[in-house]
Amino acid sequence: MSTDIIYSDATGLAELIRSRQLSPVEVVQAHLDRIEAVNPKINAIVTVAERALAQARSAEAAVMRGDDLPPLHGVPFTVKDSIDTADVLTQRGSPIFAGRIPQTDAVSVARLKAAGAIVLAKTNLPEFSYSTETDNLLTGRSNNPWNLDRTPGGSSGGESAAIAAGLSPLGLGTDLAISVRGPAAQTGIAALKATHGRIPMTGVWPRVPRRFWHVGPMARTVRDLALAYELLAGPDGADAFAISPVRFDAGTAAVDSLRVGWLVEPGFGPIDAEVAATVRAAAEALSSIGLAVEPVRIPALERDFALDVFMRLHVMELKPAFAEATAGRGDEELFAISKRILATPDTSIQDFVEAEQAGERLRDGFADYFSRYDALLAPVLPVPAHEHRAKEFDINGQTVDATYIMGATVPFNVTGLPALSLRFGTSSAGLPINVQLISTWLAESTVLNLASLLESVSPVRNQHPGI
């Protein structure tokens, strides 16, 4: 039963709790036991919420009284340690914030708690959420549960490892350029970066560059992403980017009439052959069930490499926040990535303006694409989960630096488009391979419905790491 609990999804657990087949106490205790058994190997959890069991007992009492139960009543969830949790440590992966306990929840946390969910634990991250690998001076390095010598990604790598290994059924991460979709791909789970502004960033640090930051749900099933998105989306009166009406959706209801383009190269940088084959297999699977699917090229991606655009834009906006947070602190308190950011030369105003214009061209290019197609199928990462601290990748005979890990995800942060990461394959080394689904702005229903359809024909459903 314990194994059944830890690998059930959040939606299924909520149904079992509502029907009194499981108690919230059993569910929370099973996950706490799993954390105790497995976390020493992967270091995904950095703080366990002390009141989780007490809250589970209160949730159980509500079930026994016959109260009206909210949709996630009694279901535990985990939270990336850059997202504020009231009365629970939120240390942002840095000795500078060691011992920090917020007084209030981030809006995203508060909304899941209002839906009956219970904060179980906080998950590891790189210092200040700023790296594609999860490691820091305060809480150390996280490992991939599929292979401990590999990274679970970053910056939501602790979250991805926890969910993949059955330590949590549902989590909250953040995404600046890759950070929910990439870790999901490296550990074989699912993650959604909704349209920019759909889910408020209130209570998340750093807030800059907020025009690229997203909060996103991470889970093992698409239906959990859909449920979490429904609960998380909508204005909060504090985040000025979160303005779209809760119920508005620009998606297409008739899934079987969706027009889908698929793209591996060019535009994202070089892509490993096994990753490319997985994208092609997903395209063939969608075609086989009756969707209109064809290979495409997007000229805007070929004209302006989105990774280059992003790198020229965001550092200028990020550095002041890092400088303020680290003022008066010694080098021994800063991880290597923060030191590199602070030492990066400022972008010239000419380069900054040119990058802004390139970003506009990318948005225009996608507007043109989505006038003809409902969705785009693409890689998430250029390679499967790589070894810790990789400096470069050799892909199809081409050597690229490790920042290229973001090549296929960052275009959708620069443009703010909704994008979802979903497993559809396995590498020859036994590592998960995900694909990415993208739809037009405010069309989350399209990407979620298409992902659900693809999940139903996936050759790798219900596979978990043997840890």
Side-chain angles (χ1 to χ4, degrees):
M1 177 59 74
S2 177
T3 301
D4 291 341
I5 292 173
I6 63 169
Y7 283 124
S8 292
D9 68 355
T11 303
L13 290 173
E15 292 169 352
L16 292 170
I17 288 170
R18 190 173 295 108
S19 63
R20 302 189 184 185
Q21 296 178 66
L22 277 178
S23 81
V25 174
E26 287 179 291
V27 173
V28 168
Q29 188 62 61
H31 285 92
L32 290 173
D33 292 344
R34 180 67 171 171
I35 290 170
E36 183 178 1
V38 173
N39 196 58
K41 301 177 185 177
I42 61 173
N43 192 34
I45 303 295
V46 295
T47 301
V48 172
E50 293 180 357
R51 298 191 63 243
L53 267 179
Q55 291 169 350
R57 294 186 190 100
S58 296
E60 183 175 43
V63 174
M64 301 311 294
R65 287 193 304 267
D67 293 356
D68 288 335
L69 304 178
L72 285 174
H73 184 81
V75 176
F77 72 105
T78 42
V79 184
K80 184 180 181 180
D81 207 28
S82 62
I83 303 174
D84 281 353
T85 43
D87 303 320
V88 180
L89 281 169
T90 304
Q91 303 180 104
R92 301 168 177 169
S94 171
I96 292 172
F97 295 107
R100 178 180 176 272
I101 301 177
Q103 295 182 339
T104 57
D105 288 316
V107 166
S108 51
V109 174
R111 287 179 174 177
L112 290 188
K113 287 169 71 172
I118 297 169
V119 174
L120 178 71
K122 303 301 290 291
T123 54
N124 205 21
L125 72 170
E127 183 175 60
F128 303 161
S129 292
Y130 195 84
S131 179
T132 57
E133 294 195 51
T134 295
D135 195 357
N136 64 70
L137 294 176
L138 182 65
T139 47
R141 187 181 78 186
S142 294
N143 300 318
N144 194 315
W146 290 92
N147 183 331
L148 300 180
D149 294 327
R150 307 278 173 143
T151 179
S155 60
S156 306
E159 197 61 58
S160 71
I163 294 169
L167 279 59
S168 169
L170 177 68
L172 288 174
T174 63
D175 192 314
L176 175 67
I178 186 175
S179 298
V180 299
R181 292 158 295 151
Q186 285 164 314
T187 61
I189 64 167
L192 172 68
K193 182 198 79 63
T195 302
H196 184 255
R198 279 291 217 185
I199 301 172
M201 283 287 294
T202 308
V204 181
W205 192 89
R207 287 177 68 83
V208 291
R210 191 152 45 105
R211 58 179 171 152
F212 300 138
W213 273 115
H214 304 69
V215 173
M218 304 175 73
R220 286 189 295 270
T221 63
V222 173
R223 69 175 184 172
D224 275 3
L225 296 183
L227 175 58
Y229 168 71
E230 182 179 351
L231 298 169
L232 292 166
D236 70 337
D239 184 342
F241 283 107
I243 58 173
S244 59
V246 178
R247 296 297 176 191
F248 177 77
D249 190 283
T252 302
V255 179
D256 57 358
S257 67
L258 291 177
R259 300 158 297 168
V260 181
W262 68 275
L263 170 64
V264 173
E265 295 183 55
F268 299 131
I271 303 296
D272 172 80
E274 290 186 315
V275 175
T278 301
V279 175
R280 188 176 299 106
E284 291 169 354
L286 291 174
S287 179
S288 70
I289 53 180
L291 274 67
V293 183
E294 63 183 25
V296 296
R297 292 180 70 163
I298 300 177
L301 282 172
E302 299 176 39
R303 174 176 177 175
D304 295 296
F305 187 40
L307 178 59
D308 173 64
V309 174
F310 174 78
M311 297 301 282
R312 285 189 287 161
L313 288 175
H314 83 287
V315 171
M316 285 287 285
E317 299 179 45
L318 190 65
K319 280 178 66 177
F322 276 29
E324 181 181 359
T326 60
R329 312 305 288 245
D331 275 359
E332 71 279 0
E333 295 180 277
L334 295 181
F335 202 57
I337 187 68
S338 297
K339 293 178 185 178
R340 285 203 298 271
I341 288 295
L342 291 169
T344 301
D346 289 346
T347 305
S348 72
I349 188 64
Q350 180 179 350
D351 281 349
F352 189 85
V353 171
E354 287 178 355
E356 286 279 13
Q357 293 171 344
E360 291 180 8
R361 289 193 294 270
L362 285 166
R363 286 187 284 274
D364 290 345
F366 279 112
D368 173 69
Y369 173 82
F370 285 114
S371 71
R372 291 173 285 112
Y373 296 91
D374 298 296
L376 174 67
L377 171 65
V380 183
L381 305 176
V383 293
H386 57 82
E387 293 181 351
H388 296 288
R389 298 190 178 184
K391 296 287 191 277
E392 59 187 24
F393 307 122
D394 187 346
I395 306 173
N396 303 331
Q398 182 176 350
T399 300
V400 296
D401 66 71
T403 61
Y404 271 66
I405 200 76
M406 302 182 286
T409 55
V410 75
F412 312 111
N413 295 77
V414 171
T415 59
L417 289 160
L420 187 150
S421 175
L422 172 72
R423 186 179 179 189
F424 201 77
T426 305
S427 77
S428 57
L431 298 166
I433 299 177
N434 281 29
V435 297
Q436 187 172 202
L437 296 165
I438 305 97
S439 57
T440 194
W441 295 275
L442 304 175
E444 278 75 16
S445 65
T446 293
V447 76
L448 285 164
N449 286 334
L450 186 60
S452 181
L453 195 60
L454 194 58
E455 180 183 55
S456 70
V457 295
S458 171
V460 290
R461 291 190 71 183
N462 300 317
Q463 292 188 10
H464 311 296
I467 190 169

